């Protein structure tokens, strides 16, 4: 038997009911904040992620699905391509490629789609997973650097989580500074690591040289006491970053959005500057981050684009759905009526009636004229339908239908004109 590849999975009903519920709700919230959808390709040139996300990150150094694409003809040079491990780099690439900064406004874009990372699969961690993300990006004259944008993104996230009904999340925020203060922090880290790095894992030893900030991503238990003792990024912020972070917090306080400042949170991608954040949820086990994001003021320039500060986030949809499923709620859209054609020649009239009722906004399923009445009732019950409507010769002649409420057992004869209203939930 051929099975789905390790780390990938089929999403089946009734789980897909929850996925659709979530996507429908978040699209509504995005719309109310004036975000519009962007769809970028699932694979991109490898260089985009190497330059955007960073060579020394776990994502780029270990987790990407990369291949040499031979091109169409023998003569063409091969190109290194990668399945996207995240969507921010793709969105910024598209922003640059299509000159989306030209109108001088902010671009407020959202996406929903699969991402790919070769991580060790476990609960809440897959090799193909789904993100619901958003990015606000634009020229500084459009206000893209304002702390209001950071606060509005966090406000939108609280509304998003509320609209899907997820309770019990905690917001963690931090500032990781900017291009001005990062060299100072890197220097401090290098100095602090100098005498101890030989006791650390091979990754840490390498990163201590190439990109010391990434030492803080290490998950090796033996390295944690050393990492705990390293200087904190918050002690190296310049005045402008410090002031910016104070303003973001002050707006959050005004809005009544609760948060924890987590000075150890540097996030695992190189493009972050200033505000970074994660929302965690208690029911998710080891993979507790339901979403993460932050500001990336230099990303556009590092990809060869114009100055275009931005901020965004990505929700792990798999984890969001998992957290929702730990709460009790039925996300299935119920079948409101099951139409049972009774006897030869009744399939056509049954489908015609189904069409009328669906156009009236109802969820309708249909049996088959070969079914006996008993089988029709049993099928309707298995489907969880609220009503059964019988379509037979007599019903067609009289223009009234025998309608049975499956749960209460109540029966009624209802005219064609009144049928939709009779079935519609009160
Ligand atoms: P990230 O923290 O790498 O950020 O991923 C965001 C979220 O995606 C995580 O919090 C988690 O819920 C989910 N996620 C990540 N890896 C997996 C996995 N293997 N299986 C299941 N879920 C996973 C980013 O991707 C940034 N692009 C977010 C961002 C947007 N920053 C600014 N704009």
């Amino acid at each position: 038997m051929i099975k789905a590849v390790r780390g990938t999975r089929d999403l089946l009903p009734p789980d897909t009911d929850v996925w659709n519920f979530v996507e429908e709700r978040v699209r509504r919230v995005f719309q109310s904040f004036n975000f519009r959808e962007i769809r970028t390709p699932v694979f991109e040139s490898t260089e985009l992620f190497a330059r955007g996300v960073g060579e020394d990150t776990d994502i780029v150094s270990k987790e990407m699905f990369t291949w040499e694409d031979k091109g169409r003809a023998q003569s063409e040079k091969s190109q290194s391509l990668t399945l996207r491990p995240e969507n921010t780099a793709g969105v910024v690439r598209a922003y640059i490629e299509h000159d989306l900064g030209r109108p001088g406004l902010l671009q407020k874009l959202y996406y929903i789609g699969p991402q790919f990372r070769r991580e060790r699969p476990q609960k809440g961690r897959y090799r193909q997973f789904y993100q619901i993300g958003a990015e606000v990006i634009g020229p500084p004259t459009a206000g893209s650097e304002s702390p209001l944008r950071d606060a509005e993104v966090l406000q939108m996230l609280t509304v998003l989580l509320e609209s899907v009904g997820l309770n019990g999340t905690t917001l963690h925020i931090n500032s990781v500074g900017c291009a001005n203060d990062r060299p100072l922090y890197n220097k401090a880290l290098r100095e602090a690591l100098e005498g101890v790095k030989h006791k650390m894992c091979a990754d840490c030893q390498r990163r201590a040289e190439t990109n010391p900030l990434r030492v803080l991503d290490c998950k090796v238990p033996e390295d944690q006491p050393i990492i705990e003792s390293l200087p904190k990024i918050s002690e190296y912020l310049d005045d402008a970053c410090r002031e910016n972070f104070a303003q973001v917090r002050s707006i959050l306080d005004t809005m009544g959005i609760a948060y924890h400042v987590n000075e150890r949170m540097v996030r695992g991608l190189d493009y972050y500057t200033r505000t970074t954040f994660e929302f965690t949820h208690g029911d998710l086990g080891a993979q507790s981050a339901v979403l993460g994001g932050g500001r990336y003021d230099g990303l556009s320039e590092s990809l060869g684009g114009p100055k275009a500060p931005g901020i965004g986030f990505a929700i792990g949809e798999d984890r969001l759905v998992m957290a929702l499923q730990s709460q009790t709620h039925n996300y299935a859209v119920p079948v409101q009526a099951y139409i049972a054609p009774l006897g030869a020649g009744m399939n056509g009239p049954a489908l015609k009636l189904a069409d009328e009722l669906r156009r009236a906004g109802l969820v309708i399923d249909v049996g088959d004229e070969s079914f006996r009445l008993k089988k029709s009732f049993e099928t309707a019950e298995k489907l969880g339908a609220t009503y059964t409507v019988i379509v037979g010769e007599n019903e067609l002649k009289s223009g009234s239908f025998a309608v049975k409420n499956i749960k209460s057992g109540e029966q009624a004869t209802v005219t064609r004109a009144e049928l939709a209203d009779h079935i519609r939930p009160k």
Side-chain angles (χ1 to χ4, degrees):
M1 200 198 353
I2 300 173
K3 292 189 173 173
V5 174
R6 200 169 115 82
T8 72
R9 58 200 184 126
D10 302 308
L11 301 172
L12 307 172
D15 292 343
T16 43
D17 293 331
V18 193
W19 287 73
N20 285 325
F21 163 82
V22 163
E23 290 172 16
E24 199 181 296
R25 290 292 172 95
V26 301
R27 281 181 198 276
R28 255 189 259 165
V29 175
F30 283 136
Q31 195 170 35
S32 73
F33 280 78
N34 194 28
F35 278 70
R36 297 163 84 188
E37 185 172 7
I38 182 169
R39 300 189 191 195
T40 64
V42 163
F43 59 87
E44 299 263 5
S45 131
T46 303
E47 194 193 349
L48 173 68
F49 304 114
R51 270 165 59 187
V53 178
E55 298 269 14
D56 290 309
T57 59
D58 278 343
I59 296 176
V60 173
S61 65
K62 303 178 192 166
E63 298 169 358
M64 296 205 301
F65 290 95
T66 296
W67 70 99
E68 284 300 315
D69 199 77
K70 297 262 167 47
R72 278 161 302 197
Q74 288 284 298
S75 59
E76 277 186 60
K77 270 215 324 240
S78 71
Q79 185 185 9
S80 179
L81 300 179
T82 292
L83 288 180
R84 63 184 186 195
E86 61 100 54
N87 218 155
T88 308
V91 169
V92 176
R93 188 223 11 92
Y95 175 91
I96 299 167
E97 189 169 331
H98 305 287
D99 201 8
L100 297 183
R102 198 156 58 164
L105 295 171
L106 290 177
Q107 290 290 338
K108 299 168 85 177
L109 303 166
Y110 78 88
Y111 47 83
I112 301 177
Q115 317 292 333
F116 306 85
R117 296 183 193 176
R118 190 185 279 108
E119 291 191 84
R120 198 170 52 77
Q122 64 176 85
K123 182 178 170 229
R125 193 160 74 191
Y126 308 98
R127 291 182 165 189
Q128 172 170 341
F129 61 99
Y130 293 79
Q131 284 187 341
I132 298 172
E135 313 292 348
V136 184
I137 178 170
T141 50
S144 55
E145 284 173 307
S146 168
L148 175 141
R149 304 272 68 111
D150 305 37
E152 192 189 27
V153 160
L154 290 166
Q155 181 188 42
M156 180 164 76
L157 277 167
T158 58
V159 176
L160 278 171
L161 296 177
E162 198 182 297
S163 78
V164 299
L166 185 67
N167 308 313
T169 54
T170 307
L171 166 60
H172 305 262
I173 62 171
N174 193 21
S175 174
V176 296
C178 64
N180 293 334
D181 46 42
R182 188 66 56 81
L184 284 179
Y185 184 53
N186 278 339
K187 183 162 171 275
L189 280 179
R190 279 205 181 89
E191 283 168 12
L193 287 163
E194 199 43 51
V196 289
K197 65 184 180 207
H198 65 277
K199 298 184 202 156
M200 302 183 83
C201 71
D203 275 344
C204 283
Q205 295 193 22
R206 180 172 44 80
R207 289 169 174 178
E209 303 294 331
T210 55
N211 189 349
L213 187 68
R214 299 276 67 100
V215 169
L216 305 181
D217 301 335
C218 175
K219 301 284 179 313
V220 176
E222 294 75 34
D223 290 355
Q224 297 313 306
I226 296 178
I227 290 170
E228 273 301 305
S229 72
L230 294 173
K232 291 184 189 142
I233 203 161
S234 53
E235 291 155 10
Y236 292 82
L237 299 186
D238 69 10
D239 290 344
C241 289
R242 218 176 276 279
E243 169 58 21
N244 186 277
F245 193 41
Q247 285 190 30
V248 173
R249 290 195 321 246
S250 150
I251 306 174
L252 292 177
D253 292 338
T254 306
M255 293 190 299
I257 295 178
Y259 56 83
H260 288 288
V261 175
N262 181 347
E263 291 176 320
R264 293 278 168 201
M265 188 181 66
V266 294
R267 308 267 302 129
L269 301 90
D270 274 351
Y271 51 62
Y272 288 118
T273 56
R274 297 195 162 176
T275 312
T276 54
F277 54 85
E278 285 183 359
F279 277 75
T280 55
H281 191 272
D283 292 344
L284 290 173
Q287 305 303 317
S288 66
V290 71
L291 68 92
R295 190 164 263 294
Y296 43 84
D297 290 346
L299 179 55
S300 173
E301 286 109 308
S302 73
L303 296 174
K307 189 168 163 64
I311 180 162
F313 63 83
I315 302 174
E317 193 176 358
D318 305 75
R319 295 186 192 173
L320 176 61
V321 167
M322 194 189 297
L324 286 175
Q325 285 173 326
S326 68
Q327 304 176 174
T328 47
H329 187 282
N330 190 358
Y331 296 94
V333 180
V335 176
Q336 286 154 336
Y338 180 78
I339 299 188
L342 190 65
M346 288 302 118
N347 274 347
L351 280 186
K352 194 155 173 283
L353 183 66
D355 181 58
E356 284 170 29
L357 296 175
R358 288 181 186 129
R359 284 174 198 270
L362 298 170
V363 181
I364 304 294
D365 209 337
V366 188
D368 188 90
E369 63 186 29
S370 68
F371 292 2
R372 303 228 171 151
L373 204 50
K374 183 162 178 277
K375 178 165 171 178
S376 287
F377 280 124
E378 281 168 5
T379 311
E381 200 164 344
K382 272 192 205 158
L383 287 172
T386 315
Y387 290 96
T388 309
V389 180
I390 294 162
V391 178
E393 287 284 1
N394 293 341
E395 282 76 10
L396 285 185
K397 265 193 214 123
S398 68
S400 291
F401 296 88
V403 181
K404 183 176 176 187
N405 183 318
I406 297 172
K407 288 180 192 107
S408 68
E410 216 173 289
Q411 305 219 31
T413 307
V414 183
T415 64
R416 197 167 193 126
E418 289 166 336
L419 196 53
D421 282 342
H422 184 89
I423 291 167
R424 187 171 292 119
K426 305 297 174 286

